[in-house]
Amino acid sequence: LESPDGIKKLRELILTLAMQGKLVKQDSTDQPASELLKDIQAEKERLIEDGKIKKQKELPEIKPEEVPYEVPAGWVWTRLGEIAFQITDGTHHTPTYVESGIPFLSVKDMSSGFLNFSETRFIPENEHVELIKRCYPQKGDLLITKVGTTGIPILIKTDQEFSLFVSVALIKFATKSIFGEFLVHLVNSPHLKKQSEEGTEGVGNKNLVLKKINLFSIPLPPLAEQKRIVAKIDELMKL
């Protein structure tokens, strides 16, 4: 711990233990994560019927080599795309910038690990209305940086309307089955960080590819345990 990156190493260890189910006790009365996946699937089908989301391509089964460790009973290995309703990114075109209007956020407005509206550029309301047909960031959604330092997760906690540039991925997920704060710790954990690095392609201006985010293999605990894990991580990180 005396070494300069001692704190960083300790944080990594806490997240590693958390995602292996070794940080808090399991409770056999928790609804298992396999049931969460069924609930998410049912919710997806409802949203598809209502025309709210598009039907996703079938994701490949998780191969044994994608599972780095055993998870406790009640947990499942799944893909990020399985628990998400939508994984997209901000606009690929440079919009019209105006003096004031709707904030337009890019990766630089979130590299600190939280949404920073203090230096954003602005776009006209009519362009924002067009952009949100494809990519509509809303409170409770998860953002992931996909350019620069890739794989930084941020949970949207504001009702402020804003649009996104291509450097940021937007993940809409089943908030009834997945605790948002857990998802942030999960994406920050070494197993996901490694996948972010491997999913980052290109030379110079590297880019974390959406297809790779979709395929991330994730350990999923029961919902009640997700909440216990977050409480424990927060307690330990304060120390």
Side-chain angles (χ1 to χ4, degrees):
L1 263 184
E2 295 306 309
S3 69
D5 62 348
I7 296 280
K8 180 172 173 275
K9 286 268 187 292
L10 192 58
R11 286 203 166 127
E12 282 172 5
L13 177 65
I14 291 168
L15 290 175
T16 297
L17 293 173
M19 299 311 154
Q20 290 176 353
K22 293 176 178 167
L23 206 56
V24 298
K25 275 209 172 87
Q26 272 77 47
D27 182 341
S28 56
T29 63
D30 288 343
Q31 184 196 38
S34 55
E35 291 299 313
L36 292 182
L37 288 182
K38 286 180 195 162
D39 293 344
I40 293 169
Q41 197 46 47
E43 198 173 340
K44 271 188 193 182
E45 279 159 20
R46 275 198 303 277
L47 289 168
I48 292 165
E49 269 177 32
D50 295 345
K52 300 255 172 67
I53 61 169
K54 291 193 176 83
K55 191 169 167 56
Q56 294 160 309
K57 285 199 185 85
E58 287 272 308
L59 292 174
E61 290 283 309
I62 289 192
K63 300 187 202 75
E65 61 268 25
E66 292 180 272
V67 176
Y69 52 83
E70 289 288 306
V71 288
W75 289 45
V76 286
W77 278 98
T78 185
R79 295 199 187 277
L80 191 59
E82 296 288 1
I83 64 163
F85 298 142
Q86 184 189 26
I87 296 180
T88 187
D89 52 12
T91 179
H92 294 219
H93 306 288
T94 306
T96 315
Y97 294 120
V98 287
E99 279 300 302
S100 69
I102 305 288
F104 183 72
L105 273 68
S106 74
V107 72
K108 68 170 176 54
D109 303 303
M110 50 192 72
S111 48
S112 54
F114 61 92
L115 287 186
N116 180 2
F117 286 92
S118 66
E119 288 171 24
T120 61
R121 302 181 81 167
F122 297 98
I123 61 170
E125 175 119 14
N126 63 326
E127 285 198 27
H128 171 67
V129 169
E130 277 308 304
L131 294 181
I132 60 177
K133 287 177 184 169
R134 187 182 142 268
C135 175
Y136 190 8
Q138 291 168 295
K139 191 177 190 171
D141 294 341
L142 185 75
L143 303 175
I144 295 182
T145 58
K146 57 188 278 278
V147 173
T149 307
T150 59
I152 300 173
I154 292 170
L155 199 62
I156 303 177
K157 294 181 176 174
T158 175
D159 287 314
Q160 163 88 52
E161 287 277 320
F162 64 94
S163 264
L164 290 170
F165 197 39
V166 62
S167 52
V168 185
L170 169 72
I171 291 143
K172 291 190 176 283
F173 60 95
T175 50
K176 290 184 195 131
S177 306
I178 309 291
F179 187 44
E181 304 285 352
F182 173 79
L183 208 46
V184 170
H185 289 313
L186 177 62
V187 176
N188 272 326
S189 71
H191 175 59
L192 270 285
K193 281 270 172 265
K194 182 166 171 276
Q195 294 181 79
S196 282
E197 281 160 24
E198 289 166 358
T200 301
E201 295 175 359
V203 181
N205 203 0
K206 294 187 169 70
N207 177 26
L208 174 55
V209 193
L210 286 181
K211 199 165 78 202
K212 295 286 169 68
I213 296 175
N214 216 4
L215 292 174
F216 280 172
S217 70
I218 61 167
L220 185 65
L223 181 59
E225 190 171 345
Q226 293 173 34
K227 293 179 177 175
R228 292 198 296 275
I229 288 170
V230 168
K232 191 67 179 173
I233 289 173
D234 292 349
E235 181 194 322
L236 292 171
M237 293 290 190
K238 279 197 189 87
L239 302 177

